[in-house]
Amino acid sequence: MPLVKLFARQTLTKPINLAAIQSKLCNIWSTKPNTTKLILTRVDDWTDESFQEDIYVDIRAYGKVERTREMVLDGMHKVQGAFKEEGLIANVRLETYDGEKYFHVPPKE
């Protein structure tokens, strides 16, 4: 799970412990912290629709063969549980991508 974008309202007063959440997500997806990037964006507002979440979680993940629909959905429920353990109600979205069409240029050391 290389990229986890977290969106929370500016007015959310609950703490968001990125290190603790990252650790939990690494355990769920069997990844390492250097491949599981969390980015938190605070927003002024969003449309409520029918959900009353504290945080919107948008995950982009490599679409491996072993990541079946059932396995991914189970993992997504575990992600929700990880946020709940941190006192946050999460609305989780996950999108997989084809690794042959993925490009990344990290900063030079």
Side-chain angles (χ1 to χ4, degrees), residues 32-78:
K32 295 185 177 2
N34 65 340
T35 61
T36 307
K37 183 83 158 187
L38 276 66
I39 298 174
L40 173 62
T41 303
R42 295 284 189 159
V43 298
D44 291 328
D45 205 3
W46 58 49
T47 56
D48 279 325
E49 298 179 16
S50 60
F51 307 109
Q52 296 300 313
E53 70 265 31
D54 293 320
I55 195 158
Y56 184 86
V57 182
D58 184 16
I59 303 171
R60 288 197 67 242
Y62 181 71
K64 295 181 179 181
V65 174
E66 63 269 19
R67 289 191 180 143
T68 63
R69 179 172 179 79
E70 294 77 23
M71 181 263 200
V72 170
L73 287 171
D74 181 58
M76 290 173 70
H77 287 288
K78 289 177 182 176

Side-chain angles (χ1 to χ4, degrees), residues 76-92:
M76 290 173 70
H77 287 288
K78 289 177 182 176
V79 168
Q80 270 188 329
F83 279 90
K84 187 172 186 172
E85 289 172 8
E86 294 294 316
L88 297 163
I89 299 167
N91 184 358
V92 181

